[in-house]
Amino acid sequence: GICIPIGSIAFIRGHEKVNSIEELKNIDTGSAYFLDTTSGIIFIQLKGTYARQMGETDLCGEGDAACISKMIIFTNPGEDKNADCTQRKGVMKKYQDPPLDASGAIQNTKQVPRSLFV
């Protein structure tokens, strides 16, 4: 998410507004956003469609087709212009995902021979 001033009213051009972070996580369009005006944070869903060719190294791809730009438009920037939500009580805990662990990972029960790495 991106921290914005508390109470700000904003939208993402070309995106659909959803009503919860859960709804945002369950939509697969790549063009949705969720705005939490109470916590002062906006979440934007991004989904690239550029198919890279083998060996392509240009960051933005051919014709800059792989670069994504989004425009946040504020219709009301809120009263307090402070956009640092890391100091807001409970915000980080509210939206923080649990750390990744090895559950669900492919596990190899055999030792991989060192000769494969030489």
Side-chain angles (χ1 to χ4, degrees), residues 99-107:
L100 297 175
D101 60 16
S103 64
I106 297 172
Q107 297 181 11

Side-chain angles (χ1 to χ4, degrees), residues 2-11 17-19 33-43 74-80 82 85 88 91 94-95:
I2 300 170
C3 298
I4 60 174
I6 291 176
S8 294
I9 305 298
F11 66 94
K17 183 178 181 181
V18 296
N19 297 315
Y33 74 95
F34 168 62
L35 172 64
D36 181 340
T37 56
T38 305
S39 297
I41 191 163
I42 190 168
F43 293 89
F74 288 85
T75 56
N76 178 352
E79 291 184 27
D80 180 2
N82 181 359
C85 63
R88 296 177 191 156
V91 173
K94 181 177 181 180
Y95 290 112

